[in-house]
Amino acid sequence: MSQLRTVQVLGGGSAGSSAHVGSLAAGLVARGVQVTVCAPAELDHAYDFAGTGARFVPVPRRSDPAAVAALRAACAGADVVHAHGLHAAVRSGLALGGQRTPLVLTWHTRAHAEGARRRLLHLLERRAARAAAVVLGASSDLVDRARRRGARDARLAPVVVPAPGSPVLLHDGKVRAELGVVERPLIVSVGSLVPHHGYGTLLDAARMWRQLDPVPLLVIAGEGRERGALQRRIRDEDLPVRLIGSRDDVAELLAVADLAVLASRWEARSVLAQEALRLGVPLVATAVGGVPELVGDAAELVPYGNAEATARVVVRLLADPAARERLAAAGRVQAAGWPSEDDTIAHVLSVYDELVQPLAAARGR
């Protein structure tokens, strides 16, 4: 059989899905697969898809005729097109209209909407799930959701975020000094500043734990449309919280934290949770989506939106170093059992072969 040709399509997506595509592209290229990555130009600047050995084609996150035509041209001659995210799957389906090229969708995350937007989201999910020959869900609830939306074939996918390429120094005094936490506990949260990440709840919790001595500092790394509102609350309520913007040293920040906190309304395979457990940083997380199956017993789980429960667990853990050590050890054990990047690439290749072999056999008859 000739060299397998794949096109990986990103429509914007989360940091986790973009990192996954970079890892997947590098692994496929290393195994002799011809890879093209189609994504907005700014994502190549951030993730250097071309540096993996893949061909990069800039395609904006739009569904207008020009963007669809660019995507159709990039997919010409591909054996498999692999879309990452709902918008990418719908656009890829339009680009492949009338062709027999199989489409794979990896469903990384779940959006939230109300009213008319919720109905539009439902329609988008149905179109994406039905366009794909195979839907790979990053969590069990996404697999179930894909089936409810009409997917012909939906499976759980071993999607992992690549581990840091170089060793990360735990409890680095210099980094803590730069953050102003030499003599006080440090709590870290990471993610874009949008409502479903639950930062309003975290600020409520921070108001409760500011009675501690010394007062813990909550550092939030990320940017987004909620920044102004969050900053006003921090100022007006004199909360022990710092917004430090987007960072490219998240692993280093987590490594110096006493605790990591994930307050999201929903997550599949949270990047923050994965990095915290790998580093042995005790994690407090909401019991939502794929988080419980990801972390097992290696994190303290709290209900979404419950500031009192979050504050209570944080205060208890900060007062109990032995409990934090147990969580840290359990996190490393849990992370060691996750699929590796090689496992992920092998799984994706097996799906591609399953779809391509019948087409190749048909052409040979």
Side-chain angles (χ1 to χ4, degrees):
M1 184 175 175
S2 60
Q3 184 183 34
L4 183 68
R5 296 160 298 178
T6 75
V7 177
Q8 309 290 320
V9 184
L10 266 169
S14 64
S17 59
S18 299
H20 170 65
V21 170
S23 169
L24 188 58
L28 292 173
V29 168
R31 288 159 178 78
V33 178
Q34 186 181 109
V35 179
T36 298
V37 176
C38 295
E42 60 269 19
L43 288 184
D44 187 49
H45 298 151
Y47 293 93
D48 190 22
F49 299 121
T52 67
R55 171 178 171 242
F56 179 74
V57 177
V59 177
R61 188 182 184 273
R62 300 194 306 265
S63 297
D64 59 74
V68 172
L71 188 54
R72 182 180 297 117
C75 293
D79 297 302
V80 179
V81 174
H82 191 159
H84 298 265
L86 300 177
H87 287 91
V90 171
R91 292 161 62 241
S92 297
L94 291 172
L96 293 173
Q99 300 182 41
R100 297 181 65 190
T101 307
L103 173 65
V104 176
L105 161 62
T106 294
W107 197 339
H108 292 269
T109 188
R110 176 180 156 190
H112 297 276
E114 302 297 335
R117 287 178 59 85
R118 184 174 182 177
R119 291 190 291 275
L120 287 173
L121 177 62
H122 186 110
L123 177 61
L124 178 68
E125 291 177 348
R126 285 174 63 86
R127 291 188 63 181
R130 294 183 175 193
V134 176
V135 178
L136 302 176
S139 61
S140 296
D141 64 322
L142 283 181
V143 174
D144 293 339
R145 193 175 185 88
R147 289 171 179 156
R148 292 196 301 271
R149 297 295 186 259
R152 290 168 278 170
D153 185 342
R155 315 173 189 180
L156 186 64
V159 177
V160 296
V161 173
S166 56
V168 176
L169 183 61
L170 296 175
H171 308 297
D172 187 329
K174 180 181 178 182
V175 175
R176 288 182 66 93
E178 290 171 351
L179 293 171
V181 287
V182 175
E183 300 294 338
R184 61 194 295 198
L186 172 63
I187 302 166
V188 171
S189 191
V190 180
S192 55
L193 306 183
V194 293
H196 72 265
H197 278 162
Y199 290 124
T201 300
L202 266 189
L203 296 195
D204 292 340
R207 188 171 57 235
M208 298 176 193
W209 69 54
R210 67 182 173 185
Q211 304 304 318
L212 297 178
D213 184 18
V215 179
L217 175 67
L218 170 63
V219 169
I220 300 174
E223 277 295 351
R225 63 180 184 272
E226 289 256 288
R227 183 184 182 99
L230 293 172
Q231 193 65 65
R232 283 190 295 274
R233 276 200 61 189
I234 293 167
R235 181 195 63 220
D236 294 347
E237 300 174 35
D238 192 25
L239 298 176
V241 181
R242 282 184 59 192
L243 306 180
I244 61 173
S246 296
R247 301 284 290 243
D248 57 8
D249 60 346
V250 167
E252 287 77 8
L253 288 173
L254 282 171
V256 301
D258 297 283
L259 289 175
V261 181
L262 175 69
S264 298
R265 178 178 178 181
W266 186 91
E267 295 279 353
R269 296 184 65 87
S270 160
V271 175
L272 169 60
Q274 289 186 61
E275 293 191 332
L277 266 62
R278 279 180 180 146
L279 291 167
V281 179
L283 174 69
V284 179
T286 42
V288 297
V291 173
E293 67 182 334
L294 175 68
V295 303
D297 296 325
E300 291 275 359
L301 298 180
V302 296
Y304 167 73
N306 192 323
E308 183 177 349
T310 302
R312 185 169 57 247
V313 171
V314 166
V315 170
R316 174 170 56 80
L317 288 174
L318 289 178
D320 191 345
R324 297 202 305 274
E325 283 297 324
R326 286 194 297 272
L327 276 182
R332 293 188 184 98
V333 171
Q334 181 75 6
W338 291 335
S340 66
E341 288 184 79
D342 284 344
D343 293 332
T344 300
I345 294 157
H347 176 261
V348 167
L349 272 174
S350 72
V351 172
Y352 292 172
D353 288 342
E354 182 182 328
L355 295 172
V356 170
Q357 292 293 351
L359 293 175
R363 295 189 193 105
R365 288 200 295 266

